[in-house]
Amino acid sequence: MDISYIVTPFFAWFVAGCSKFLINTIKARRLAFDLIGYGGMPSNHSSIVSSAAAIIAFKEGLQEPALVVAIALAFIVMLDANSLRQQVGKHARAINELNSHNSKLKLRERMGHSRIEILAGIVTGIVSAWIIYALHDLI
């Protein structure tokens, strides 16, 4: 098996995670380790699934049946990141307001992604896949 199919999603996850940490650090003007997690720019989930679809497209072409599965999975993940997980964040915010007297029990409110964060994840994933594709041919 060609190892680039396995390496690509991990590389995209790493690139998106490092980018997110850098962006959060610049915005917060401090090392933002506490802001690592769900939500933020770019979307790790979108980056991972789009990189998988992209590496299949780059290596096998657009006629590859596995590409349909990868794109379908990517749509499910991205729709979930934009809608369902944002609703979970809204619920967490409401629960935190209702439970404001208990500061020890605070739910994470930053869940899900905006469309721009998802788009940034897609771009990160495709670029990551292209880098692995280009490097794999050189090795």
Side-chain angles (χ1 to χ4, degrees):
M1 178 179 182
D2 185 346
I3 195 163
S4 64
Y5 292 106
I6 296 171
V7 171
T8 299
F10 286 105
F11 180 66
W13 167 80
F14 181 75
V15 170
C18 290
S19 300
K20 187 183 297 193
F21 175 75
L22 183 62
I23 290 167
N24 285 335
T25 295
I26 291 168
K27 285 171 116 178
R29 295 188 175 136
R30 62 179 174 79
L31 292 177
F33 290 107
D34 60 323
L35 298 176
I36 295 173
Y38 298 106
M41 171 86 79
S43 164
N44 284 58
H45 293 81
S46 299
S47 175
I48 292 166
V49 294
S50 62
S51 74
I55 197 68
I56 292 168
F58 291 150
K59 295 184 89 47
E60 306 297 330
L62 298 177
Q63 301 300 320
E64 176 62 31
L67 181 59
V68 174
V69 175
I71 290 171
L73 175 65
F75 273 118
I76 291 168
V77 169
M78 290 179 222
L79 288 171
D80 177 63
N82 183 249
S83 60
L84 178 65
R85 287 183 38 217
Q86 282 193 353
Q87 293 302 318
V88 169
K90 289 178 184 178
H91 284 92
R93 196 167 14 265
I95 291 169
N96 286 340
E97 286 177 23
L98 290 171
N99 197 26
S100 60
H101 65 279
N102 186 354
S103 62
K104 290 182 182 179
L105 179 64
K106 185 165 172 70
L107 300 175
R108 178 185 282 232
E109 295 178 9
R110 182 65 172 120
M111 300 289 287
H113 292 283
S114 67
R115 289 184 179 132
I116 192 75
E117 291 168 344
I118 291 170
L119 180 61
I122 293 168
V123 171
T124 301
I126 292 170
V127 169
S128 296
W130 181 81
I131 290 168
I132 295 296
Y133 177 72
L135 290 177
H136 187 263
D137 288 346
L138 295 175
I139 298 173

